[in-house]
Amino acid sequence: MFNIREDFNCCKTVSCRNFGINKSDDYIYKSKRLGYLAVECKACGSHPPWVNNQIIENILKEKLAFHFSRKISHCTHCYQYFFFNEKNEAQLHGFTAAGTQRLKCKNCQRVYSVGKHKNIDAIKQVLQTVIDKLDTSAAIKKTGLSARLYYFYLDKLSLLLTNFSRLKEQEILQRDYIALQTEGKVLHLDHKRGFYTLFTAEADSGYILLQTSNVTQQKLTKQDTYHSTENTVIKDGCSSNVENEINQRYQQTMQRKHFEKLLVGELKPINRCNLINPARLSYVHFSMLRAFIYKTERYRHYIELESSIRAAALMSAYPEIKTEKAEIYYYLPFADSKETLINKKAGWWGDRWSSFESGAYSAITKKLQSNPPFDLRDTEYLNRYFTYLEGSLNKGLNSMNTLANFSEIHRVLFNFCETNKGKSPAMQFALAEKPYTAQELLEEAIRFNQYVPKKD
């Protein structure tokens, strides 16, 4: 597996000589000079909040296991994760006692079998209950399945669709350039439950590559557990012009206990789970995003104006930033602004902002020229997905596995079935030639996941 950063306690000021460097002589570790635990960088005077690396590692393993390692068609020893490992080839190796074809991995010589997808009708019924937006009890009743079997086939449905999408994505994500866009959103469930989630889309197509929630089954420290009714997020459109909006957001960030102390209102955790602070989720999410960029020559990343997301984006892209292969931009949506900004300085880090017809932007990783190379073609991709998810997700969910399965099913359905101006995100991303119905997509996923070894 390729390298993912393990230590996030370092200077995060791009212009500082210590940017991204661990264990500098300029650091005072676990400083409390500003009233919170931080890494104090004497070179630039910054105090990035202290990060519990072990908790990030534990949650990263949990999220990787769901989003990238759910395999049903290859040797799991050699091909543990999508993107992170090269696909293995296999040869036919007889049959099991039950008559299932056995395969022998050409790389590690291990023998394994790929079972057939059984009871497809039950999986189709479960999919229809998802499309019909039935609550769980009504869905179980309609399918005629027991509760145990319903959840079993829900997991199979999620596995098939996720595996299909990852295999398709992996086929085309070896390219010279990719652009990503990331924002954080709050999804509310019944009984004041809910979660903070990060969405990342391929910026030129709106194809949703990754969504991660701050729901976890890991044990958390008090400092890393989210439990708040406060809200430090400024809502869009509360200012009369874009410059005021930018300054207002920076001012609100300054009023927090520290820059990364993002609060998103009252959220109660679901059954037998914890909610991790959004800032910590950001480090996990951006670490996983390396799956989509590590084979590209260069990439751009457009992120919302949020300090906790900024820190995670910089740490994830550190190797590419140092070699000038990565460009990271703040993007702030703002409609009908009468003001024109050109290289306007704002905020704690002296970010320089320019505006265009759909908002404003700032290059975090390098100085802007008079005509900066900003290119975000459609600024509504993530909002469209959030609106879709808000209207489609079962709000009565109260277990982590079920929530994760529903979320992934909807991610794939949105990418391949929902259209804007006649095209689905998968079509825009060159993964499909037509929009699918949900049932057509399931049939395609079943066919696609049947592994057939190459003949010698």
Side-chain angles (χ1 to χ4, degrees), residues 150-410:
Y150 178 83
Y151 290 119
F152 174 82
Y153 287 117
L154 179 72
D155 186 76
K156 290 294 184 185
L157 173 62
S158 173
L159 182 61
L160 277 165
L161 294 182
T162 301
N163 205 73
F164 169 74
S165 73
R166 293 301 183 211
L167 287 169
K168 297 286 283 186
E169 293 156 19
Q170 192 166 255
E171 287 180 353
I172 70 164
L173 276 174
Q174 297 186 29
R175 48 173 63 185
D176 294 334
Y177 167 79
I178 191 171
L180 306 177
Q181 184 185 5
T182 298
E183 289 183 14
K185 302 285 187 180
V186 176
L187 279 159
H188 294 281
L189 303 174
D190 293 340
H191 309 298
K192 295 185 178 180
R193 296 189 301 266
F195 56 95
Y196 176 81
T197 186
L198 283 163
F199 299 137
T200 293
E202 196 274 331
D204 292 332
S205 66
Y207 184 95
I208 306 299
L209 291 166
L210 184 65
Q211 58 183 2
T212 53
S213 77
N214 70 330
V215 179
T216 179
Q217 292 178 329
Q218 298 295 316
K219 292 183 179 180
L220 304 176
T221 65
K222 183 178 179 180
Q223 292 75 17
D224 289 308
T225 303
Y226 183 82
H227 41 70
S228 179
T229 58
E230 300 176 72
N231 192 328
T232 62
V233 180
I234 295 181
K235 295 182 179 179
D236 295 339
C238 61
S239 298
S240 59
N241 64 62
V242 67
E243 184 176 356
N244 287 344
E245 179 74 9
I246 292 168
N247 288 327
Q248 206 166 4
R249 286 174 179 252
Y250 279 118
Q251 289 168 8
Q252 177 108 7
T253 301
M254 292 291 290
Q255 293 170 7
R256 300 175 183 174
K257 184 177 179 180
H258 58 71
F259 294 135
E260 296 183 26
K261 188 67 173 179
L262 173 61
L263 303 176
V264 292
E266 182 178 9
L267 294 177
K268 292 184 178 180
I270 59 179
N271 193 30
R272 293 190 294 276
C273 290
N274 295 308
L275 296 177
I276 189 171
N277 279 327
R280 301 299 181 250
L281 176 68
S282 297
Y283 288 110
V284 173
H285 183 86
F286 277 85
S287 293
M288 289 195 291
L289 285 179
R290 292 198 59 77
F292 305 111
I293 59 93
Y294 81 105
K295 287 188 177 182
T296 60
E297 290 295 320
R298 59 189 182 90
Y299 78 99
R300 288 180 182 160
H301 206 143
Y302 306 108
I303 64 175
E304 67 173 286
L305 178 48
E306 171 49 55
S307 294
S308 60
I309 293 178
R310 174 191 181 277
L314 290 174
M315 291 299 92
S316 174
Y318 170 75
E320 289 75 24
I321 292 172
K322 296 298 288 186
T323 56
E324 298 185 348
K325 293 181 179 179
E327 300 171 22
I328 300 177
Y329 292 84
Y330 275 141
Y331 163 65
L332 177 66
F334 198 96
D336 302 322
S337 175
K338 306 302 180 183
E339 304 292 323
T340 299
L341 301 182
I342 301 176
N343 214 20
K344 181 73 174 182
K345 190 175 181 179
W348 175 261
W349 289 279
D351 300 326
R352 295 189 175 273
W353 286 81
S354 295
S355 60
F356 68 122
E357 62 273 10
S358 299
Y361 55 91
S362 172
I364 299 172
T365 51
K366 69 178 183 178
K367 294 181 179 179
L368 288 174
Q369 305 298 319
S370 58
N371 294 302
F374 183 83
D375 185 23
L376 188 56
R377 300 174 187 175
D378 187 332
T379 60
E380 292 299 314
Y381 285 139
L382 292 177
N383 285 335
R384 280 196 285 271
Y385 179 58
F386 177 67
T387 300
Y388 163 83
L389 201 58
E390 271 273 88
S392 302
L393 190 65
N394 184 340
K395 300 300 176 66
L397 299 176
N398 197 24
S399 78
M400 179 174 167
N401 289 339
T402 308
L403 174 63
N405 281 332
F406 267 97
S407 297
E408 270 299 283
I409 289 167
H410 282 303

Side-chain angles (χ1 to χ4, degrees), residues 417-425 427-428 433-436:
C417 303
E418 295 295 308
T419 60
N420 179 46
K421 298 180 180 178
K423 290 189 175 182
S424 67
M427 294 170 67
Q428 298 275 27
E433 296 180 352
K434 65 171 187 177
Y436 289 87

